[in-house]
Amino acid sequence: MKPAITVEKLAKRYTIGGADQGTNLRESLVRLITLGFIRSNSQEQTIWALRDVSFSIEQGETVGLIGRNGAGKSTLLKILSQITYPTSGSTKVNGRVAALLEVGTGFHQELTGRENIFMNGSILGMTKKEVERKFEQIVEFSGVRKFLDTPIKRYSSGMRLRLGFAVAAHLDPDILIVDEVLAVGDAAFQKKCLNAMATLRQGARTVLFVSHNLAAVENLCSRCIWIDGGEIRMDGESRRVIEAYMGSMGANDTLASDLDSVENRRGNGKIRYRRIEFLSPDGTPQKVIRAGDPVVIRFHYFASEPILEPSFGFRMYSEMGTFITESSTWHHSIAVPLLEPGAGYLDLEIDCLNLMSAKYLLSLWLTDNTGELLYDNVEHGAILEVEKANIYQSGRDLDSRSGLVFFPQRWDLSGTRTHGAQSPADAARVRESLTP
């Protein structure tokens, strides 16, 4: 039986400031229009998004693809989906492919959700009769029935993703390629997506799944490929690869506070995060915070010009990529009317850090007050290490086996039928008397 996907010595080069080779017709036309048919005089820079990548995936295999942002994952998927072409090397894909690479891929903004289902299905290779036969299933899965006859341009990013995944999942593809489908959407929809991919796996379909949610990758995929800097760093059993990947993050603990050296970030850069510190309430720097302790997170920034009403925020994830919480000045309805140019910082004070012992990843973002204008975004830019502690004053430390979070609590035994309060010595005598 032929492999579902074969990749041999694949490489992709992008040239900044000059004509790039190996692009498709659409990319070439966009470049011509953008440059106005005038050759750029700027200095050319060559970036290798992929270099000497080789692997094969057997039919019916479910494979996870992991790596930091900018590692080359999305470029690889675009080549496999024939959205762009490689600079060198080759790919072979055997079977019907459905790819969901970006929110709203293949949608026409002016058409309604109903019209886009038929158009997107056609793009993915479905006949009109196939779409009609599966139309109700697609609508039910997407959860956008109420807005089915509304133009797609009025949909939120989550609604577009739900509709796009619904069409792709019901194509009954031989190969399903999914990029970060769990990044948008609520918990219920994410569960639907995982169930749909699990069903495809059981049906001997091939799934190539890209996600920063490492827990989902480990649960869904028996095999995992780790890409780093455009090259395959490790390929093997999911748990081993994920452990090695997480260990590589630990090697960069010094970057958890210094963000100036982080190159992989998005935004216009008019205001950027420079440093993050974890402090005790009296301002003493902390490398490790005990569970249940108070902590102050200090966000250092630098603004290159006056910034009107910026919003500072972060998201916290477990090491396995499980989204834990998000906080921002916007959530607290704190307005910063006009931020002056220069360096500064702001503090987030947490009275009780109710996280279990583990390492947690912080992704930082800076936007305007609407959330539409992005100044800075650093994915997994900082690491918060939480140490186990005697939280309930019971002499028994809680660790990650007890979950992700704990709640301040107490037990009340007044409703039980006992002989009253007992000391540990009394309890020991009772146990001894009951022992045969």
Side-chain angles (χ1 to χ4, degrees):
M1 185 179 292
K2 293 182 180 179
I5 299 174
T6 304
V7 175
E8 295 181 351
K9 296 186 178 300
L10 194 67
K12 177 63 178 179
R13 180 189 65 212
Y14 289 104
T15 304
I16 301 175
D20 186 26
Q21 301 297 321
T23 57
N24 62 19
L25 177 60
R26 182 180 67 178
E27 292 171 330
S28 301
L29 289 174
V30 169
R31 177 176 293 279
L32 285 173
I33 294 170
T34 303
L35 297 179
F37 301 92
I38 299 176
R39 183 180 178 83
S40 171
N41 292 321
S42 62
Q43 187 176 2
E44 294 185 2
Q45 272 188 318
T46 297
I47 296 177
W48 288 93
L50 295 171
R51 192 192 294 268
D52 197 27
V53 172
S54 298
F55 63 88
S56 65
I57 298 176
E58 299 300 320
Q59 294 183 28
E61 218 177 348
T62 300
V63 179
L65 192 62
I66 63 174
R68 296 177 184 270
N69 287 339
K73 306 185 300 296
S74 294
T75 300
L76 173 59
L77 298 193
K78 287 179 179 178
I79 292 174
L80 291 175
S81 304
Q82 297 186 339
I83 292 174
T84 190
Y85 301 128
T87 302
S88 62
S90 65
T91 63
K92 294 179 182 178
V93 179
N94 296 306
R96 191 183 200 185
V97 178
L100 188 62
L101 305 186
E102 295 174 2
V103 176
T105 300
F107 285 155
H108 191 291
Q109 299 300 307
E110 299 299 328
L111 298 181
T112 66
R114 183 187 304 273
E115 292 165 336
N116 269 292
I117 289 175
F118 282 92
M119 187 185 75
N120 199 230
S122 177
I123 291 173
L124 293 174
M126 299 173 75
T127 65
K128 184 180 179 182
K129 287 185 177 180
E130 278 184 286
V131 178
E132 288 175 343
R133 189 171 66 251
K134 299 177 182 178
F135 184 81
E136 281 301 317
Q137 293 174 270
I138 292 171
V139 174
E140 184 64 28
F141 188 98
S142 67
V144 300
R145 185 182 299 276
K146 185 178 178 181
F147 307 97
L148 204 54
D149 295 308
T150 301
I152 208 89
K153 65 182 179 182
R154 305 194 189 284
Y155 282 27
S156 67
S157 58
M159 291 167 65
R160 294 183 195 188
L161 181 132
R162 292 200 298 272
L163 191 59
F165 186 87
V167 176
H170 288 84
L171 171 62
D172 289 337
D174 299 307
I175 303 168
L176 178 63
I177 299 175
V178 186
D179 187 4
E180 276 302 349
V181 72
L182 302 181
V184 181
D186 56 24
F189 176 68
Q190 291 178 12
K191 186 176 180 180
K192 275 187 180 181
C193 292
L194 290 173
N195 288 341
M197 287 186 281
T199 300
L200 287 171
R201 180 181 61 181
Q202 293 167 3
R205 303 291 200 275
T206 305
V207 179
L208 184 56
F209 178 43
V210 177
S211 180
H212 287 296
N213 188 328
L214 302 182
V217 172
E218 184 175 356
N219 290 334
L220 190 67
C221 309
S222 57
R223 175 185 167 196
C224 191
I225 299 174
W226 170 18
I227 291 187
D228 185 29
E231 300 178 349
I232 292 182
R233 182 85 169 266
M234 191 173 178
D235 181 353
E237 191 265 328
S238 289
R239 179 176 288 276
R240 290 194 305 105
V241 175
I242 289 172
E243 286 177 352
Y245 174 60
M246 291 192 301
S248 75
M249 293 182 184
N252 295 326
D253 281 356
T254 55
L255 296 181
S257 58
D258 180 12
L259 302 175
D260 275 340
S261 58
V262 176
E263 297 180 357
N264 182 32
R265 61 205 307 169
R266 296 184 292 119
N268 61 26
K270 292 181 179 179
I271 176 173
R272 287 165 62 111
Y273 285 108
R274 299 193 64 183
R275 183 176 175 79
I276 183 170
E277 290 183 287
F278 302 102
L279 311 172
S280 63
D282 64 4
T284 304
Q286 304 289 306
K287 286 189 176 180
V288 176
I289 308 296
R290 291 193 315 162
D293 279 0
V295 63
V296 176
I297 306 179
R298 178 165 291 176
F299 300 90
H300 294 264
Y301 69 85
F302 182 84
S304 59
E305 61 182 62
I307 303 294
L308 182 65
E309 298 183 345
S311 178
F312 294 79
F314 73 94
R315 296 181 182 90
M316 182 181 289
Y317 300 86
S318 72
E319 275 194 294
M320 295 296 286
T322 301
F323 177 46
I324 295 174
T325 189
E326 179 179 36
S327 182
S328 69
T329 53
W330 179 87
H331 284 91
H332 288 263
S333 193
I334 297 174
V336 184
L338 182 65
L339 199 68
E340 297 293 335
Y345 67 84
L346 68 164
D347 292 341
L348 174 66
E349 300 175 357
I350 300 175
D351 296 329
C352 175
L353 189 67
N354 63 326
L355 295 172
M356 294 296 187
S357 171
K359 285 185 179 180
Y360 299 89
L361 308 175
L362 270 63
S363 295
L364 316 177
W365 52 263
L366 264 164
T367 67
D368 65 353
N369 66 339
T370 68
E372 295 182 2
L373 180 60
L374 181 65
Y375 297 119
D376 194 20
N377 182 274
V378 184
E379 292 292 334
H380 297 175
I383 297 177
L384 170 62
E385 187 169 350
V386 180
E387 192 178 59
K388 61 184 179 180
N390 183 16
I391 296 167
Y392 298 130
Q393 303 301 311
S394 62
R396 297 172 179 175
D397 293 341
L398 298 182
D399 56 28
S400 58
R401 290 174 296 180
S402 299
L404 288 173
V405 301
F406 70 90
F407 303 103
Q409 57 190 261
R410 59 182 175 272
W411 288 88
D412 181 359
L413 302 183
S414 62
T416 61
R417 299 184 63 184
T418 67
H419 291 291
Q422 293 179 321
S423 68
D426 290 337
R429 282 193 291 272
V430 171
R431 283 196 301 271
E432 187 176 331
S433 68
L434 294 176
T435 302

